Amino acid sequence: MKPVILGCDTALMNTDTSPPLAGHPDRPDRLQGAPNFRAIDALPAAGGRRLKRLRLFRSDALHRLNDDDLVRLRGLRIGTVLDLRRDDERETAPNRWPGDMQPVTRVFDSAPELQAVRAGGWHASLEDPSFDAERARLWMIDTYARMPTALAPAVSAAIIHASTPQTSDTPLLVHCTAGKDRTGFVCAMVLSAAGVPRESIMADYLESSVRRPPAQMAEVLLSYHGIARTPRKQSALEVIAGVQNDFLMTSFETVERNFGSVEAYLSACGLGPAQRDALHAALLD
């Protein structure tokens, strides 16, 4: 099987504020123009196995890739894309691909259910004088509670891709705008299907705030959109621009409350015993 890339999220990331790729400049899964692009590999999984290297990826939008990035992207042989962004996000920031790459793309527009994590969805809320960091946290938690329903079609598509012989050897990219919220949930469900422990799933999810520090992103977004900086706006936007343990835990708790278990949710998304075996064969060493 080839790569699976999962990515999406909060604000319109038209400005690259990420630090240089220090420490891993030669890794093929590092793109300067998409700092949240990364392979999810070497994690422990079902039966004492581990995820295969460079088979499962997640990413933010790919519209800022430079020529060196395109060379690296070509080497990953991605053939299928699950794009979690809304139409307006895709139109504003169309992905850039090598000229000889035309991956099959499926789109999953989660519409107003996930307003908090779509590009620019925070603008109106930030103008409310009562919208502070705690209100932002509650807004994000409410949004994550909606993800299991809103993103079930994307979870199903990822499962089908990885468990169907005709497609399981084709690289899959699942991404959105910032690659942290929508992408984070879909990644978490795919990793759960592979038997990755919850603590490892959470560690991968929280990596997004290391790659794109929330305080830095909040300052840049306020400046980029011409919004006067105040402590309230800064602190609220830092919450929206970051990831927190209780955000993703809300999604897990919602799944367990509504379906009884993550396994039952994945079954509803199409992961039966045969599909689970095929997914493990495709993704695990």
Side-chain angles (χ1 to χ4, degrees), residues 114-134:
L114 304 182
Q115 178 72 5
V117 297
R118 61 175 290 269
W122 46 270
H123 282 185
S125 294
L126 206 61
E127 294 308 312
D128 179 349
S130 67
F131 190 79
D132 57 10
E134 178 59 16

Side-chain angles (χ1 to χ4, degrees), residues 82 84 108 147-148 150-161 172 174 182 185-190 193 265-266 268-271 279:
L82 305 185
L84 308 181
F108 296 88
M147 287 186 181
L151 294 173
V155 174
S156 294
I159 288 171
I160 291 169
H161 175 94
L172 173 66
V174 185
R182 291 167 286 188
F185 173 77
V186 175
C187 285
M189 293 301 104
V190 174
Y265 172 77
L266 292 171
C269 290
L271 188 72
L279 183 144

Side-chain angles (χ1 to χ4, degrees), residues 14-285:
N14 278 337
T15 1
D16 183 9
T17 64
S18 59
L21 301 178
H24 301 282
D26 298 324
R27 281 197 57 146
D29 63 328
R30 295 295 188 265
L31 304 180
Q32 190 68 52
N36 217 5
F37 181 101
R38 63 189 188 268
I40 308 174
D41 54 13
L43 295 181
R49 302 165 74 183
R50 302 184 77 82
L51 289 179
K52 291 179 180 178
R53 185 174 182 272
L54 299 178
R55 295 297 177 91
L56 182 63
F57 293 80
R58 58 182 296 164
S59 184
D60 41 348
L62 305 176
H63 61 293
R64 294 183 57 84
L65 301 187
N66 60 35
D67 290 344
D68 288 341
D69 291 337
L70 294 179
V71 171
R72 292 182 179 225
L73 191 61
R74 179 183 291 108
L76 295 174
R77 302 174 300 132
I78 294 163
T80 303
V81 176
L82 305 185
D83 191 336
L84 308 181
R85 298 176 298 167
R86 291 189 59 174
D87 289 344
D88 56 337
E89 295 173 277
R90 292 191 298 273
E91 292 168 1
T92 301
N95 287 338
R96 187 180 182 209
W97 293 96
D100 57 352
M101 282 185 69
Q102 293 298 326
V104 175
T105 300
R106 295 186 60 188
V107 298
F108 296 88
D109 189 339
S110 50
E113 290 92 336
L114 304 182
Q115 178 72 5
V117 297
R118 61 175 290 269
W122 46 270
H123 282 185
S125 294
L126 206 61
E127 294 308 312
D128 179 349
S130 67
F131 190 79
D132 57 10
E134 178 59 16
R135 284 275 305 277
R137 188 185 72 84
L138 294 174
W139 192 34
M140 293 295 288
I141 285 175
D142 177 71
T143 297
Y144 271 76
R146 298 170 184 266
M147 287 186 181
T149 297
L151 294 173
V155 174
S156 294
I159 288 171
I160 291 169
H161 175 94
S163 62
T164 302
Q166 291 84 348
T167 57
S168 63
D169 194 39
T170 303
L172 173 66
L173 161 64
V174 185
H175 86 95
C176 55
T177 295
K180 66 183 189 68
D181 299 311
R182 291 167 286 188
T183 293
F185 173 77
V186 175
C187 285
M189 293 301 104
V190 174
L191 292 175
S192 295
V196 175
R198 184 76 57 88
E199 59 270 22
S200 297
I201 294 173
M202 189 62 68
D204 172 74
Y205 168 75
L206 295 174
E207 174 70 15
S208 289
S209 277
V210 176
R211 288 170 172 263
R212 307 205 77 158
Q216 182 186 52
M217 284 307 306
E219 291 182 7
V220 169
L221 290 168
L222 289 171
S223 174
Y224 179 81
H225 292 284
I227 299 173
R229 183 185 181 282
T230 67
R232 175 188 64 82
K233 292 179 180 179
Q234 173 78 22
S235 61
L237 195 50
E238 284 183 24
V239 172
I240 295 169
V243 289
Q244 298 182 15
N245 185 88
D246 56 348
F247 294 173
L248 186 57
M249 282 305 302
T250 295
S251 293
F252 275 112
E253 290 165 359
T254 300
V255 164
E256 289 161 353
R257 181 171 59 252
N258 293 344
F259 291 85
S261 66
V262 173
E263 290 72 22
Y265 172 77
L266 292 171
S267 178
C269 290
L271 188 72
Q275 289 77 21
R276 186 183 302 274
D277 290 345
L279 183 144
H280 287 183
L283 295 182
L284 305 183
D285 279 326

